[in-house]
Amino acid sequence: MTTLRPVILTGDRTTGQLHLGHYAGSLRNRLDLQETHDQFLLLADAQALTDNAHNIAKVRENVFQVALDYLAVGIDPAKSTICLQSALPALAQLSMLYLNFVTVSRLERNPTIKDEIQARGFGRDIPAGFLCYPAAQAADITAFRATLVPVGEDQAPLIEQTNEIVRRINAAAGADLLPEARALIPPVGRLPGIDGRQKMSKSSGNAIPLSASADEISHAVRQMFTDPNHLRVEDPGCVEGNVVFRYLDAFDPDKKELEALKDHYRRGGLGDQKVKRRLEDILQALLEPIRERRLELAEAPDYVMDVIRKGTGRAREITDRTFDDVARGLGLFVL
Amino acid sequence: MTTLRPVILTGDRTTGQLHLGHYAGSLRNRLDLQETHDQFLLLADAQALTDNAHNIAKVRENVFQVALDYLAVGIDPAKSTICLQSALPALAQLSMLYLNFVTVSRLERNPTIKDEIQARGFGRDIPAGFLCYPAAQAADITAFRATLVPVGEDQAPLIEQTNEIVRRINAAAGADLLPEARALIPPVGRLPGIDGRQKMSKSSGNAIPLSASADEISHAVRQMFTDPNHLRVEDPGCVEGNVVFRYLDAFDPDKKELEALKDHYRRGGLGDQKVKRRLEDILQALLEPIRERRLELAEAPDYVMDVIRKGTGRAREITDRTFDDVARGLGLFVL
């Protein structure tokens, strides 16, 4: 791991176990990225608190669960740094500093924040921490001097806001203290829930967690939505928006066979059962080793804790140094 | 210094040298309080940045100046702890945590914030750090477990907001993690500027800094507003709202003589010159040793830095411990 590699910051809010949607959208990419980048994975418990202050136990318990998920899919602590957000004081220090370089109305105009305020039904009772989280995210990104941030398309405005803060800090310092970051939008779109809903989430009951048992996987695939108009095997079926095919697009390693299968389905004569069987085989093969590794790791909590501790230790050195650089560069009083 | 003494948190934004108004309203009390309390004086540079992000040099330079003022008036580092806000990461960590326990609309309703937003003419462009500073102040107060906070009457709502956060944190933890604090309103009201304006401030040019030379003191007293209708010595004069008498009320050690003087002034036959001479003698006697001590200390910057470093070191231990207690008490994931 050399610091000459480009730095990537990514991570997950610790509000639940990770699922197939995470695997398709981000975890899989991270396995590649750790080979070529200096990758930091943030167990984002502090950010999770911005809308879960009433349920801290959930946020705490999922720190360990998400770390298990990372290691189970093949994140290698020798290549990637797994670290705990709330244990990195420089992130809070930079957040508080950056809040002076962004106005309340700018935060309120952030499209991601606007959408999420609506989605969460906060109304007038937005926790201040939630409104401020773009500044906290700017702190996360810049503390690691990350230049690449994998995000969903809907989160690109957050990177723009980070870069606005970076430009203001650099202007105030009269020097290029911090690099701007670039959003890395994943090639694969978001995986739908098994019920066809846009978003897979544990709370909606439409997710397949990475820890799913063989039976749970079978059950989920059986329940999966297909083409509601494809009633008889001989009918022509629709592939677009068909959840089973969306999953095959994401996970089938044999793209040629998949295209042939789609053609057959469109023509008619291919039953949902057969397509689902193919998907199930693929998912069972994908998830079995992850599940087994996850069970092994769960039996070795000391090892997992050690990974988090060591990663957080490394992250602390880096982020403390950044805060010190920023404080000196801006001309704060430094002891 | 025993920890059994009640804890007081006080301090000053590092935006300018301290002046007679600070002496009358707070510094003087602190000399008494340090004999009976565990007193922390916060060099509040981080708070100063919430409305001075465009002028960081001013905030930095006045850290040292305010520390000089403290030591010059007789704050004793063996009795009081002088510490630098931006060098205490736990304050930022607690601030970010507390922001999750207060809503944006509650911050906007804070009367002190409302007044100050108007006074500063921020309009819609309020820096987010400024809106959030009540949470930061709650962090300052609770990080030291202070139960007494000397504030002006206009700042009492900030203590109420702190206590609201304390109650929420304690409720979330299901334990009395943090003590509530009480505002300690100073017995003497605010000292007016020499021009009679409500507030003495360096930027208004109506302040007498603690570092004022003998000539500057003479000049300031000569310029001081009296009763505009008291034109001839033999005329009856008004004592109420008369700046010279407001200052005598604050600094004249001989209250009996002062009452006699007021009676004489009211009856007529006592000229402004004579009253001003009395005030000047008192102020010269008060400020001469402070000025001399300040000059000596300015020649010994290493000593002053050492005081700030040692105080901040002690403060860091205490505030880090509080953050750790709060994190564990709330049930965050602690490494």
Side-chain angles (χ1 to χ4, degrees), chain A residues 31-173:
Chain A
L31 298 181
D32 294 334
L33 289 168
Q34 72 181 348
E35 303 299 333
T36 49
H37 290 70
D38 193 7
Q39 179 170 253
F40 293 87
L41 301 182
L42 202 53
L43 298 162
D45 62 337
Q47 192 189 315
L49 287 177
T50 63
D51 57 343
N52 286 281
H54 55 286
N55 197 351
I56 296 178
K58 180 176 81 175
V59 173
R60 175 186 64 245
E61 284 153 18
N62 283 299
V63 167
F64 192 79
Q65 295 302 320
V66 172
L68 277 184
D69 287 326
Y70 287 167
L71 296 171
V73 299
I75 294 294
D76 179 351
K79 296 174 180 165
S80 294
T81 302
I82 298 172
C83 51
L84 180 64
Q85 191 178 37
S86 66
L88 298 170
L91 302 185
Q93 291 177 286
L94 287 171
S95 298
M96 290 303 288
L97 191 58
Y98 293 172
L99 284 174
N100 302 319
F101 288 86
V102 58
T103 64
V104 175
S105 49
R106 177 64 183 88
L107 290 172
E108 287 170 343
R109 277 201 314 275
N110 186 308
T112 313
I113 291 288
K114 272 167 97 166
D115 290 353
E116 294 188 2
I117 283 172
Q118 277 215 319
R120 284 171 176 75
F122 280 140
R124 292 286 298 158
D125 288 334
I126 311 157
F130 190 79
L131 181 69
C132 295
Y133 102 70
Q137 205 155 37
D140 297 341
I141 294 168
T142 56
F144 291 97
R145 299 182 175 284
T147 53
L148 287 170
V149 185
V151 290
E153 239 169 304
D154 53 336
Q155 290 194 304
L158 289 169
I159 308 299
E160 197 31 59
Q161 179 133 46
T162 292
N163 289 337
E164 267 179 47
I165 292 174
V166 164
R167 288 191 289 270
R168 284 181 185 192
I169 294 287
N170 289 346

Side-chain angles (χ1 to χ4, degrees), chain B residues 209-225:
Chain B
L210 296 177
S211 62
S213 67
D215 280 354
E216 287 166 342
I217 296 167
S218 295
H219 183 72
V221 173
R222 276 199 309 275
Q223 287 201 301
M224 212 171 262
F225 282 28

Side-chain angles (χ1 to χ4, degrees), chain A residues 45-46 49-50 53 56 60 63-64 84 86-89 92-93 95-97 99-105 107-108 124-132 136 172 305 308-309 312 316 323 330-335, chain B residues 45-46 49-50 53 56 60 63-64 84 86-89 92-93 95-97 99-105 107-108 124-132 136 172 305 308-309 312 316 323 330-335:
Chain A
D45 62 337
L49 287 177
T50 63
I56 296 178
R60 175 186 64 245
V63 167
F64 192 79
L84 180 64
S86 66
L88 298 170
Q93 291 177 286
S95 298
M96 290 303 288
L97 191 58
L99 284 174
N100 302 319
F101 288 86
V102 58
T103 64
V104 175
S105 49
L107 290 172
E108 287 170 343
R124 292 286 298 158
D125 288 334
I126 311 157
F130 190 79
L131 181 69
C132 295
M305 284 298 289
I308 303 175
R309 270 200 205 98
T312 304
R316 180 145 184 179
F323 177 71
L330 284 175
L332 302 195
F333 195 92
V334 176
L335 288 178
Chain B
D45 61 338
L49 286 177
T50 63
I56 297 178
R60 176 187 62 247
V63 167
F64 192 79
L84 180 64
S86 66
L88 298 171
Q93 290 176 288
S95 298
M96 290 302 290
L97 190 59
L99 283 175
N100 302 319
F101 289 87
V102 59
T103 64
V104 175
S105 50
L107 289 173
E108 287 170 344
R124 292 287 296 159
D125 289 334
I126 312 158
F130 191 80
L131 181 70
C132 295
M305 283 298 289
I308 302 175
R309 270 201 203 96
T312 305
R316 179 144 184 179
F323 177 72
L330 283 175
L332 302 195
F333 195 91
V334 175
L335 289 177

